[in-house]
Amino acid sequence: MAEQRSLRAWGDPLFRGLTRTFAVGILLLLGTMFFMLWQESAASIDKFGWHFLTSASWNPVLEDYGALVAITGTLVSTAIALVVAVPISLGIALFLAEIAPKALRTPLGVAIELLAAIPSIVYGMWGLFVLAPLMSDYVQPLLSSTLGFLPFFSGPEMGIGMLTAGLVLALMIVPFIASVTRDVFLMVPTTLKESAYGLGCTTWEVVKDIMIPYGRKGIFGAVFLGLGRALGETMAITFVIGNAHRLSWSLFAPGNSIASTLANEFTEADSELYTSALIELGLLLFVITFVIIGLAQWWMRRMAAPGGH
Amino acid sequence: MVTPSLLAGRRARNRLVIGLSVMAAGLGLVMLVWILGDVALRGLSAINWDFFTKLPAPPGEEGGGLANAIVGTLILTAVAALVAIPFGVMAGTYLAEFGNSRLGTAVRFVSDLLVSAPSIVVGMFVYLILVAPTGNFSGWAGATALAIIMVPVVTRTTEEMLRLIPSEMREAALALGAPYWKMVASVLYRAAATGMMTGIMLAVARVSGETAPLLFTTLNSPYWMEGMNEPVANLTVTLFNYAMSPYDDWQTMAWGAAFLITASILIMTITSRLLLMKRTKS
């Protein structure tokens, strides 16, 4: 009996304390990650300072490192991915939520979610062996003959490079943005839509004037989450970006992103400063991603709050 | 007054948008079939009995398989899951049951951040804490990196699934005199079991296809694994090395690996989806 009572007295606080320990563990995990990356990039931070962000040099022989090429590559490939992926994702979401016959909605929705489950390395490999040859044989010649007067669409037609990397990324984030946006569209109250249809609106007018304004913040949130994914994606990009530390106006030219630089060089870095510079790149990626995701979370939460839409 | 031409214009615009939307959905479907088709066609040609039973052949030699990498990936994923599931379930329980506090909000926010953490940076972090101090790449390091990726996913799903359970159930158990921990263990976990399993399966599926966190931690190996303190052969890094190699038969092997990984992940994803659908129906 006494044992029973003591278990009763101790059981719940113990249980609560235990679960709390693990919850706090998650906070510690992020804290430790940040601290370790910061500490280990100290050598590079001390040596290059803010100059690290603006220098395009990446020279292991002279031990001179700058992040500009990698940052540019990350931003450009992500930008291409978003420009391609956002309209397509919205189209798919609209189809799944409003246009498709009821019987098709679930199977098609599952199909799109399956695309999201394919591991990124498979996308990268497919990009290298299937998409890159198509790019060099058809897409790049076509682009350079029609838009070649722009510096972005001229240059070596090798198939691999910034444009191909951006397209593979787009392919990866479409299913993600599309399924979140579909869920946002499905949250629009039926009465609102029906009132608009009742007034004689066309489907497009309901979408444009009711669904998009209603779900605006949710859609932004979905795009931001897709953006966060694209920024940190490694394997899909490493195969096709070309891995060259060079800045070029041409989107056909090979480049490098932060993640692909890390994947290719981290295990080969042979000096302390080299390793430290790579870790600083990792820290930058960490910070950029968290700022973007943090903004997206804050945004989504504001939408979820009462009166937030 | 609505003039006929205005109406025609509105209708035309509507048709245009619907057409574009149908095209976008069609494109998505075509890409799915195209990618899966390529992976299946090219991958199946590499898959045979040897693929599952033999060690990789040295470059230039015919035959060989990826048996060591298959075993390695299974072990790394299993170890990661064994660590991450209890961790995530406990943290998720805290968020659902005691998490309406400032700490709860912070943990929720941080786990959402961690879900999106670039996996290559997670690998780098594990390199710094486990590989650099000891000086050798190991299976433990790789499993740790995978576990770090799994924990926030399991945490958030557990929370979501526990929150779906009506509070009447909690009150009923507590009213019968059950202590809180017992109520959670024998009522909540049981009621939320399907949903939690689904979330865990999705998390396992996700990490089993991860490559970046293993690059700096577990590395890869052409041999059978000799223990968790040594580099461990695994499918994804093997795929990466083989696909980037200049040898044709290695590239074929890489497609085989891609097929095996993709097929297992899709099967896990579909199974968990069916489980969830069955639950919502009943």
Side-chain angles (χ1 to χ4, degrees), chain B residues 73-105:
Chain B
T73 290
L74 287 176
I75 291 178
L76 291 177
T77 311
V79 172
L82 282 179
V83 178
I85 293 170
F87 195 128
V89 167
M90 290 308 266
T93 307
Y94 177 80
L95 290 182
E97 299 304 309
F98 316 110
N100 293 326
S101 57
R102 210 176 261 178
L103 175 65
T105 314

PDB file of all heavy atoms in Angstrom, chain B residues 73-105:
ATOM      1  N   THR B  73      22.591   0.048 -44.696  1.00  0.00           N
ATOM      2  CA  THR B  73      21.509   1.034 -44.637  1.00  0.00           C
ATOM      3  C   THR B  73      20.435   0.593 -43.648  1.00  0.00           C
ATOM      4  O   THR B  73      19.939   1.394 -42.856  1.00  0.00           O
ATOM      5  CB  THR B  73      20.898   1.235 -46.038  1.00  0.00           C
ATOM      6  OG1 THR B  73      21.861   1.906 -46.843  1.00  0.00           O
ATOM      7  CG2 THR B  73      19.627   2.065 -45.984  1.00  0.00           C
ATOM      8  N   LEU B  74      20.099  -0.723 -43.674  1.00  0.00           N
ATOM      9  CA  LEU B  74      19.091  -1.222 -42.732  1.00  0.00           C
ATOM     10  C   LEU B  74      19.535  -0.988 -41.295  1.00  0.00           C
ATOM     11  O   LEU B  74      18.764  -0.530 -40.448  1.00  0.00           O
ATOM     12  CB  LEU B  74      18.831  -2.716 -42.976  1.00  0.00           C
ATOM     13  CG  LEU B  74      18.033  -3.048 -44.231  1.00  0.00           C
ATOM     14  CD1 LEU B  74      17.922  -4.560 -44.409  1.00  0.00           C
ATOM     15  CD2 LEU B  74      16.641  -2.428 -44.147  1.00  0.00           C
ATOM     16  N   ILE B  75      20.817  -1.296 -41.013  1.00  0.00           N
ATOM     17  CA  ILE B  75      21.294  -1.170 -39.631  1.00  0.00           C
ATOM     18  C   ILE B  75      21.348   0.294 -39.204  1.00  0.00           C
ATOM     19  O   ILE B  75      20.876   0.658 -38.119  1.00  0.00           O
ATOM     20  CB  ILE B  75      22.668  -1.850 -39.484  1.00  0.00           C
ATOM     21  CG1 ILE B  75      22.485  -3.363 -39.634  1.00  0.00           C
ATOM     22  CG2 ILE B  75      23.297  -1.512 -38.138  1.00  0.00           C
ATOM     23  CD1 ILE B  75      23.753  -4.149 -39.549  1.00  0.00           C
ATOM     24  N   LEU B  76      21.896   1.146 -40.071  1.00  0.00           N
ATOM     25  CA  LEU B  76      21.981   2.574 -39.720  1.00  0.00           C
ATOM     26  C   LEU B  76      20.593   3.146 -39.451  1.00  0.00           C
ATOM     27  O   LEU B  76      20.371   3.864 -38.468  1.00  0.00           O
ATOM     28  CB  LEU B  76      22.643   3.367 -40.839  1.00  0.00           C
ATOM     29  CG  LEU B  76      24.132   3.128 -41.073  1.00  0.00           C
ATOM     30  CD1 LEU B  76      24.622   3.941 -42.259  1.00  0.00           C
ATOM     31  CD2 LEU B  76      24.926   3.482 -39.821  1.00  0.00           C
ATOM     32  N   THR B  77      19.636   2.804 -40.330  1.00  0.00           N
ATOM     33  CA  THR B  77      18.282   3.328 -40.161  1.00  0.00           C
ATOM     34  C   THR B  77      17.656   2.791 -38.883  1.00  0.00           C
ATOM     35  O   THR B  77      17.013   3.529 -38.130  1.00  0.00           O
ATOM     36  CB  THR B  77      17.411   2.940 -41.370  1.00  0.00           C
ATOM     37  OG1 THR B  77      18.120   3.266 -42.563  1.00  0.00           O
ATOM     38  CG2 THR B  77      16.105   3.693 -41.369  1.00  0.00           C
ATOM     39  N   ALA B  78      17.871   1.500 -38.614  1.00  0.00           N
ATOM     40  CA  ALA B  78      17.268   0.895 -37.424  1.00  0.00           C
ATOM     41  C   ALA B  78      17.846   1.524 -36.154  1.00  0.00           C
ATOM     42  O   ALA B  78      17.095   1.863 -35.223  1.00  0.00           O
ATOM     43  CB  ALA B  78      17.503  -0.612 -37.429  1.00  0.00           C
ATOM     44  N   VAL B  79      19.167   1.701 -36.107  1.00  0.00           N
ATOM     45  CA  VAL B  79      19.770   2.296 -34.911  1.00  0.00           C
ATOM     46  C   VAL B  79      19.251   3.719 -34.723  1.00  0.00           C
ATOM     47  O   VAL B  79      18.866   4.113 -33.615  1.00  0.00           O
ATOM     48  CB  VAL B  79      21.312   2.286 -35.011  1.00  0.00           C
ATOM     49  CG1 VAL B  79      21.925   3.069 -33.858  1.00  0.00           C
ATOM     50  CG2 VAL B  79      21.830   0.861 -35.018  1.00  0.00           C
ATOM     51  N   ALA B  80      19.200   4.468 -35.816  1.00  0.00           N
ATOM     52  CA  ALA B  80      18.694   5.843 -35.735  1.00  0.00           C
ATOM     53  C   ALA B  80      17.262   5.842 -35.205  1.00  0.00           C
ATOM     54  O   ALA B  80      16.912   6.635 -34.322  1.00  0.00           O
ATOM     55  CB  ALA B  80      18.751   6.513 -37.108  1.00  0.00           C
ATOM     56  N   ALA B  81      16.440   4.918 -35.711  1.00  0.00           N
ATOM     57  CA  ALA B  81      15.040   4.877 -35.288  1.00  0.00           C
ATOM     58  C   ALA B  81      14.925   4.510 -33.813  1.00  0.00           C
ATOM     59  O   ALA B  81      14.121   5.089 -33.083  1.00  0.00           O
ATOM     60  CB  ALA B  81      14.271   3.873 -36.153  1.00  0.00           C
ATOM     61  N   LEU B  82      15.766   3.557 -33.363  1.00  0.00           N
ATOM     62  CA  LEU B  82      15.703   3.138 -31.957  1.00  0.00           C
ATOM     63  C   LEU B  82      16.024   4.286 -31.011  1.00  0.00           C
ATOM     64  O   LEU B  82      15.492   4.369 -29.902  1.00  0.00           O
ATOM     65  CB  LEU B  82      16.684   1.982 -31.707  1.00  0.00           C
ATOM     66  CG  LEU B  82      16.205   0.621 -32.181  1.00  0.00           C
ATOM     67  CD1 LEU B  82      17.249  -0.454 -31.912  1.00  0.00           C
ATOM     68  CD2 LEU B  82      14.885   0.269 -31.487  1.00  0.00           C
ATOM     69  N   VAL B  83      16.909   5.178 -31.432  1.00  0.00           N
ATOM     70  CA  VAL B  83      17.238   6.326 -30.589  1.00  0.00           C
ATOM     71  C   VAL B  83      16.177   7.412 -30.740  1.00  0.00           C
ATOM     72  O   VAL B  83      15.706   7.988 -29.749  1.00  0.00           O
ATOM     73  CB  VAL B  83      18.620   6.907 -30.986  1.00  0.00           C
ATOM     74  CG1 VAL B  83      18.928   8.133 -30.140  1.00  0.00           C
ATOM     75  CG2 VAL B  83      19.695   5.846 -30.834  1.00  0.00           C
ATOM     76  N   ALA B  84      15.772   7.671 -31.984  1.00  0.00           N
ATOM     77  CA  ALA B  84      14.945   8.852 -32.252  1.00  0.00           C
ATOM     78  C   ALA B  84      13.494   8.660 -31.827  1.00  0.00           C
ATOM     79  O   ALA B  84      12.854   9.617 -31.398  1.00  0.00           O
ATOM     80  CB  ALA B  84      15.015   9.207 -33.736  1.00  0.00           C
ATOM     81  N   ILE B  85      12.969   7.424 -31.927  1.00  0.00           N
ATOM     82  CA  ILE B  85      11.545   7.238 -31.636  1.00  0.00           C
ATOM     83  C   ILE B  85      11.210   7.520 -30.170  1.00  0.00           C
ATOM     84  O   ILE B  85      10.332   8.335 -29.887  1.00  0.00           O
ATOM     85  CB  ILE B  85      11.064   5.848 -32.114  1.00  0.00           C
ATOM     86  CG1 ILE B  85      11.108   5.797 -33.641  1.00  0.00           C
ATOM     87  CG2 ILE B  85       9.646   5.574 -31.629  1.00  0.00           C
ATOM     88  CD1 ILE B  85      10.883   4.429 -34.226  1.00  0.00           C
ATOM     89  N   PRO B  86      11.923   6.875 -29.198  1.00  0.00           N
ATOM     90  CA  PRO B  86      11.599   7.216 -27.805  1.00  0.00           C
ATOM     91  C   PRO B  86      11.809   8.701 -27.503  1.00  0.00           C
ATOM     92  O   PRO B  86      10.953   9.332 -26.854  1.00  0.00           O
ATOM     93  CB  PRO B  86      12.589   6.374 -26.995  1.00  0.00           C
ATOM     94  CG  PRO B  86      13.194   5.406 -27.925  1.00  0.00           C
ATOM     95  CD  PRO B  86      12.972   5.867 -29.312  1.00  0.00           C
ATOM     96  N   PHE B  87      12.896   9.249 -27.998  1.00  0.00           N
ATOM     97  CA  PHE B  87      13.192  10.671 -27.803  1.00  0.00           C
ATOM     98  C   PHE B  87      12.034  11.527 -28.322  1.00  0.00           C
ATOM     99  O   PHE B  87      11.467  12.359 -27.601  1.00  0.00           O
ATOM    100  CB  PHE B  87      14.497  11.008 -28.550  1.00  0.00           C
ATOM    101  CG  PHE B  87      15.119  12.326 -28.171  1.00  0.00           C
ATOM    102  CD1 PHE B  87      16.462  12.381 -27.804  1.00  0.00           C
ATOM    103  CD2 PHE B  87      14.389  13.503 -28.195  1.00  0.00           C
ATOM    104  CE1 PHE B  87      17.057  13.587 -27.458  1.00  0.00           C
ATOM    105  CE2 PHE B  87      14.976  14.709 -27.856  1.00  0.00           C
ATOM    106  CZ  PHE B  87      16.303  14.755 -27.492  1.00  0.00           C
ATOM    107  N   GLY B  88      11.656  11.273 -29.580  1.00  0.00           N
ATOM    108  CA  GLY B  88      10.612  12.085 -30.200  1.00  0.00           C
ATOM    109  C   GLY B  88       9.254  11.892 -29.544  1.00  0.00           C
ATOM    110  O   GLY B  88       8.502  12.846 -29.350  1.00  0.00           O
ATOM    111  N   VAL B  89       8.944  10.625 -29.168  1.00  0.00           N
ATOM    112  CA  VAL B  89       7.644  10.367 -28.566  1.00  0.00           C
ATOM    113  C   VAL B  89       7.551  11.072 -27.213  1.00  0.00           C
ATOM    114  O   VAL B  89       6.533  11.705 -26.882  1.00  0.00           O
ATOM    115  CB  VAL B  89       7.397   8.842 -28.421  1.00  0.00           C
ATOM    116  CG1 VAL B  89       6.215   8.572 -27.512  1.00  0.00           C
ATOM    117  CG2 VAL B  89       7.166   8.224 -29.787  1.00  0.00           C
ATOM    118  N   MET B  90       8.624  11.023 -26.418  1.00  0.00           N
ATOM    119  CA  MET B  90       8.606  11.699 -25.120  1.00  0.00           C
ATOM    120  C   MET B  90       8.457  13.212 -25.298  1.00  0.00           C
ATOM    121  O   MET B  90       7.630  13.843 -24.632  1.00  0.00           O
ATOM    122  CB  MET B  90       9.892  11.388 -24.335  1.00  0.00           C
ATOM    123  CG  MET B  90       9.996   9.967 -23.837  1.00  0.00           C
ATOM    124  SD  MET B  90       8.544   9.447 -22.926  1.00  0.00           S
ATOM    125  CE  MET B  90       9.056   9.802 -21.269  1.00  0.00           C
ATOM    126  N   ALA B  91       9.260  13.774 -26.183  1.00  0.00           N
ATOM    127  CA  ALA B  91       9.189  15.220 -26.385  1.00  0.00           C
ATOM    128  C   ALA B  91       7.816  15.614 -26.921  1.00  0.00           C
ATOM    129  O   ALA B  91       7.235  16.622 -26.496  1.00  0.00           O
ATOM    130  CB  ALA B  91      10.289  15.677 -27.338  1.00  0.00           C
ATOM    131  N   GLY B  92       7.262  14.797 -27.822  1.00  0.00           N
ATOM    132  CA  GLY B  92       5.939  15.082 -28.376  1.00  0.00           C
ATOM    133  C   GLY B  92       4.869  14.991 -27.302  1.00  0.00           C
ATOM    134  O   GLY B  92       3.916  15.771 -27.281  1.00  0.00           O
ATOM    135  N   THR B  93       5.022  14.016 -26.381  1.00  0.00           N
ATOM    136  CA  THR B  93       4.075  13.879 -25.278  1.00  0.00           C
ATOM    137  C   THR B  93       4.109  15.135 -24.407  1.00  0.00           C
ATOM    138  O   THR B  93       3.067  15.658 -24.004  1.00  0.00           O
ATOM    139  CB  THR B  93       4.435  12.654 -24.420  1.00  0.00           C
ATOM    140  OG1 THR B  93       4.543  11.525 -25.278  1.00  0.00           O
ATOM    141  CG2 THR B  93       3.389  12.412 -23.368  1.00  0.00           C
ATOM    142  N   TYR B  94       5.311  15.628 -24.158  1.00  0.00           N
ATOM    143  CA  TYR B  94       5.407  16.861 -23.370  1.00  0.00           C
ATOM    144  C   TYR B  94       4.634  17.986 -24.061  1.00  0.00           C
ATOM    145  O   TYR B  94       3.835  18.674 -23.429  1.00  0.00           O
ATOM    146  CB  TYR B  94       6.872  17.266 -23.178  1.00  0.00           C
ATOM    147  CG  TYR B  94       6.985  18.579 -22.435  1.00  0.00           C
ATOM    148  CD1 TYR B  94       6.866  18.631 -21.059  1.00  0.00           C
ATOM    149  CD2 TYR B  94       7.141  19.782 -23.125  1.00  0.00           C
ATOM    150  CE1 TYR B  94       6.913  19.821 -20.377  1.00  0.00           C
ATOM    151  CE2 TYR B  94       7.182  20.984 -22.452  1.00  0.00           C
ATOM    152  CZ  TYR B  94       7.068  21.004 -21.074  1.00  0.00           C
ATOM    153  OH  TYR B  94       7.105  22.190 -20.408  1.00  0.00           O
ATOM    154  N   LEU B  95       4.875  18.126 -25.374  1.00  0.00           N
ATOM    155  CA  LEU B  95       4.219  19.228 -26.095  1.00  0.00           C
ATOM    156  C   LEU B  95       2.696  19.104 -26.053  1.00  0.00           C
ATOM    157  O   LEU B  95       1.986  20.084 -25.887  1.00  0.00           O
ATOM    158  CB  LEU B  95       4.695  19.263 -27.547  1.00  0.00           C
ATOM    159  CG  LEU B  95       6.137  19.706 -27.764  1.00  0.00           C
ATOM    160  CD1 LEU B  95       6.464  19.745 -29.245  1.00  0.00           C
ATOM    161  CD2 LEU B  95       6.373  21.077 -27.144  1.00  0.00           C
ATOM    162  N   ALA B  96       2.197  17.854 -26.215  1.00  0.00           N
ATOM    163  CA  ALA B  96       0.746  17.692 -26.278  1.00  0.00           C
ATOM    164  C   ALA B  96       0.097  17.812 -24.907  1.00  0.00           C
ATOM    165  O   ALA B  96      -0.981  18.385 -24.771  1.00  0.00           O
ATOM    166  CB  ALA B  96       0.410  16.339 -26.909  1.00  0.00           C
ATOM    167  N   GLU B  97       0.748  17.258 -23.877  1.00  0.00           N
ATOM    168  CA  GLU B  97       0.085  17.155 -22.572  1.00  0.00           C
ATOM    169  C   GLU B  97       0.437  18.288 -21.618  1.00  0.00           C
ATOM    170  O   GLU B  97      -0.364  18.697 -20.792  1.00  0.00           O
ATOM    171  CB  GLU B  97       0.439  15.810 -21.932  1.00  0.00           C
ATOM    172  CG  GLU B  97      -0.006  14.614 -22.755  1.00  0.00           C
ATOM    173  CD  GLU B  97      -1.503  14.638 -23.048  1.00  0.00           C
ATOM    174  OE1 GLU B  97      -2.286  14.801 -22.094  1.00  0.00           O
ATOM    175  OE2 GLU B  97      -1.886  14.520 -24.226  1.00  0.00           O
ATOM    176  N   PHE B  98       1.693  18.748 -21.679  1.00  0.00           N
ATOM    177  CA  PHE B  98       2.111  19.792 -20.732  1.00  0.00           C
ATOM    178  C   PHE B  98       2.641  21.022 -21.447  1.00  0.00           C
ATOM    179  O   PHE B  98       3.293  21.861 -20.848  1.00  0.00           O
ATOM    180  CB  PHE B  98       3.210  19.252 -19.799  1.00  0.00           C
ATOM    181  CG  PHE B  98       2.952  17.879 -19.274  1.00  0.00           C
ATOM    182  CD1 PHE B  98       3.723  16.802 -19.697  1.00  0.00           C
ATOM    183  CD2 PHE B  98       1.929  17.650 -18.367  1.00  0.00           C
ATOM    184  CE1 PHE B  98       3.484  15.531 -19.216  1.00  0.00           C
ATOM    185  CE2 PHE B  98       1.691  16.375 -17.885  1.00  0.00           C
ATOM    186  CZ  PHE B  98       2.466  15.316 -18.303  1.00  0.00           C
ATOM    187  N   GLY B  99       2.417  21.086 -22.763  1.00  0.00           N
ATOM    188  CA  GLY B  99       3.166  22.050 -23.563  1.00  0.00           C
ATOM    189  C   GLY B  99       2.513  23.412 -23.755  1.00  0.00           C
ATOM    190  O   GLY B  99       2.973  24.187 -24.580  1.00  0.00           O
ATOM    191  N   ASN B 100       1.458  23.718 -23.013  1.00  0.00           N
ATOM    192  CA  ASN B 100       0.862  25.041 -23.188  1.00  0.00           C
ATOM    193  C   ASN B 100       1.582  26.078 -22.326  1.00  0.00           C
ATOM    194  O   ASN B 100       0.986  26.810 -21.554  1.00  0.00           O
ATOM    195  CB  ASN B 100      -0.627  25.011 -22.836  1.00  0.00           C
ATOM    196  CG  ASN B 100      -1.384  24.167 -23.844  1.00  0.00           C
ATOM    197  OD1 ASN B 100      -1.031  24.136 -25.029  1.00  0.00           O
ATOM    198  ND2 ASN B 100      -2.396  23.472 -23.379  1.00  0.00           N
ATOM    199  N   SER B 101       2.887  26.095 -22.479  1.00  0.00           N
ATOM    200  CA  SER B 101       3.695  26.988 -21.665  1.00  0.00           C
ATOM    201  C   SER B 101       4.680  27.677 -22.594  1.00  0.00           C
ATOM    202  O   SER B 101       4.728  27.395 -23.786  1.00  0.00           O
ATOM    203  CB  SER B 101       4.467  26.181 -20.625  1.00  0.00           C
ATOM    204  OG  SER B 101       5.255  25.205 -21.291  1.00  0.00           O
ATOM    205  N   ARG B 102       5.459  28.551 -22.023  1.00  0.00           N
ATOM    206  CA  ARG B 102       6.452  29.229 -22.840  1.00  0.00           C
ATOM    207  C   ARG B 102       7.482  28.227 -23.381  1.00  0.00           C
ATOM    208  O   ARG B 102       7.882  28.280 -24.530  1.00  0.00           O
ATOM    209  CB  ARG B 102       7.144  30.301 -22.007  1.00  0.00           C
ATOM    210  CG  ARG B 102       7.591  31.444 -22.878  1.00  0.00           C
ATOM    211  CD  ARG B 102       8.182  32.524 -22.060  1.00  0.00           C
ATOM    212  NE  ARG B 102       7.234  33.602 -21.819  1.00  0.00           N
ATOM    213  CZ  ARG B 102       7.522  34.665 -21.083  1.00  0.00           C
ATOM    214  NH1 ARG B 102       8.696  34.767 -20.507  1.00  0.00           N
ATOM    215  NH2 ARG B 102       6.645  35.617 -20.925  1.00  0.00           N
ATOM    216  N   LEU B 103       7.860  27.278 -22.510  1.00  0.00           N
ATOM    217  CA  LEU B 103       8.808  26.245 -22.938  1.00  0.00           C
ATOM    218  C   LEU B 103       8.229  25.458 -24.112  1.00  0.00           C
ATOM    219  O   LEU B 103       8.915  25.190 -25.100  1.00  0.00           O
ATOM    220  CB  LEU B 103       9.124  25.304 -21.771  1.00  0.00           C
ATOM    221  CG  LEU B 103      10.018  24.112 -22.104  1.00  0.00           C
ATOM    222  CD1 LEU B 103      11.414  24.589 -22.504  1.00  0.00           C
ATOM    223  CD2 LEU B 103      10.111  23.140 -20.937  1.00  0.00           C
ATOM    224  N   GLY B 104       6.930  25.116 -23.999  1.00  0.00           N
ATOM    225  CA  GLY B 104       6.276  24.369 -25.073  1.00  0.00           C
ATOM    226  C   GLY B 104       6.341  25.118 -26.391  1.00  0.00           C
ATOM    227  O   GLY B 104       6.686  24.551 -27.430  1.00  0.00           O
ATOM    228  N   THR B 105       6.021  26.411 -26.341  1.00  0.00           N
ATOM    229  CA  THR B 105       6.054  27.216 -27.567  1.00  0.00           C
ATOM    230  C   THR B 105       7.459  27.225 -28.165  1.00  0.00           C
ATOM    231  O   THR B 105       7.633  27.060 -29.370  1.00  0.00           O
ATOM    232  CB  THR B 105       5.623  28.664 -27.264  1.00  0.00           C
ATOM    233  OG1 THR B 105       4.454  28.608 -26.461  1.00  0.00           O
ATOM    234  CG2 THR B 105       5.340  29.429 -28.528  1.00  0.00           C
TER     235      THR B 105
END
